[in-house]
Amino acid sequence: GENVEQHPSTLSVQEGDSAVIKCTYSDSASNYFPWYKQELGKGPQLIIDIRSNVGEKKDQRIAVTLNKTAKHFSLHITETQPEDSAVYFCAASKRANDMRFGAGTRLTVKP
Amino acid sequence: ETGVTQTPRHLVMGMTNKKSLKCEQHLGHNAMYWYKQSAKKPLELMFVYSLEERVENNSVPSRFSPECPNSSHLFLHLHTLQPEDSALYLCASSQEVGQHGYTFGSGTRLTVV
């Protein structure tokens, strides 16, 4: 089955800097890659997703890139703010009921 | 609120108790899921329902029993749990099973004593 690895497990940046979280997946048939943000005491919230027919997608300060050849995808957050502090999860799926999540990255943005 | 509501938010139960977790969504989604979230581990898929029919049971012990009476409600019945079952249990829904973003509830923090 699919295996999703996520790095780093913790990331600390200064406010205003950029943050990058990387994920790799094992199944080349995977074609849908969402990213979730989980704040303390809440469930994960979908923040951006990308499908395999696209190499990059942006939404304001958040962008996701996908390299199908290398089987990795990354989340980029620019101009980080303290409210970006949370745990971020990547996921990959190739078909119905086959979504696999990474172990998460705890991002801390220091004011 | 995300549109997916889970109750209770916190639950402490003994190993011999029987309790139920409830999940409700009014987003018009056809798929609902139970996930287990333990510290420093990836989210673990437990059960998947599509249009009230169970489509996946991910090798979950029988002490966890799901129920989906309609496409808006999902339950997880618990009995004779073990301390290692203590975790955050998350419910999610999506338009269809699989390749759509999930909407998660805030979870039930379960402690088995």
Side-chain angles (χ1 to χ4, degrees):
Chain A
E2 176 66 276
N3 184 41
V4 178
E5 305 230 345
Q6 184 172 346
H7 300 280
S9 56
T10 60
L11 178 60
S12 182
V13 300
Q14 208 63 40
E15 183 177 0
D17 288 350
S18 295
V20 181
I21 302 170
K22 298 182 179 180
C23 288
T24 60
Y25 59 98
S26 59
D27 192 335
S28 57
S30 290
N31 58 6
Y32 175 63
F33 307 91
W35 284 89
Y36 293 85
K37 174 184 181 182
Q38 186 173 23
E39 297 177 55
L40 198 62
K42 298 183 179 179
Q45 179 185 5
L46 179 70
I47 55 172
I48 195 168
D49 57 11
I50 191 168
R51 297 189 186 272
S52 60
N53 58 346
V54 175
E56 183 175 0
K57 185 176 179 181
K58 269 187 169 180
D59 182 4
Q60 299 181 352
R61 296 186 297 108
I62 293 173
V64 57
T65 58
L66 171 65
N67 183 326
K68 285 191 294 182
T69 305
K71 290 190 282 190
H72 65 70
F73 56 113
S74 301
L75 178 71
H76 304 253
I77 307 174
T78 58
E79 299 170 35
T80 53
Q81 300 164 7
E83 50 265 38
D84 294 329
S85 297
V87 179
Y88 292 80
F89 294 93
C90 63
S93 76
K94 62 178 178 181
R95 60 175 176 83
N97 68 323
D98 195 35
M99 184 83 70
R100 293 291 182 258
F101 287 82
T105 297
R106 182 173 299 280
L107 173 65
T108 303
V109 180
K110 294 187 241 181
Chain B
E1 288 299 329
T2 64
V4 177
T5 303
Q6 287 188 246
T7 54
R9 290 295 307 272
H10 301 272
L11 178 62
V12 179
M13 60 186 288
M15 290 190 282
T16 58
N17 290 162
K18 286 186 182 181
K19 296 285 184 184
S20 296
L21 310 185
K22 180 182 176 181
C23 176
E24 185 173 354
Q25 60 93 6
H26 295 287
L27 301 169
H29 289 170
N30 293 323
M32 295 187 78
Y33 314 81
W34 279 117
Y35 278 88
K36 178 183 179 182
Q37 186 174 37
S38 305
K40 299 185 179 178
K41 290 175 72 174
L43 284 161
E44 298 174 55
L45 178 64
M46 299 176 73
F47 302 103
V48 180
Y49 276 83
S50 175
L51 295 169
E52 303 138 49
E53 183 179 331
R54 192 191 309 182
V55 297
E56 182 158 336
N57 175 348
N58 216 25
S59 302
V60 179
S62 59
R63 58 185 182 269
F64 295 92
S65 174
E67 178 190 0
C68 188
N70 55 63
S71 58
S72 298
H73 293 86
L74 185 65
F75 294 89
L76 187 63
H77 304 299
L78 316 171
H79 65 98
T80 59
L81 294 193
Q82 306 297 313
E84 59 264 30
D85 296 322
S86 298
L88 182 68
Y89 288 85
L90 289 162
C91 173
S93 69
S94 67
Q95 191 61 51
E96 303 293 342
V97 175
Q99 299 201 333
H100 298 267
Y102 293 176
T103 301
F104 282 89
S106 295
T108 295
R109 173 68 62 187
L110 174 67
T111 303
V112 181
V113 296

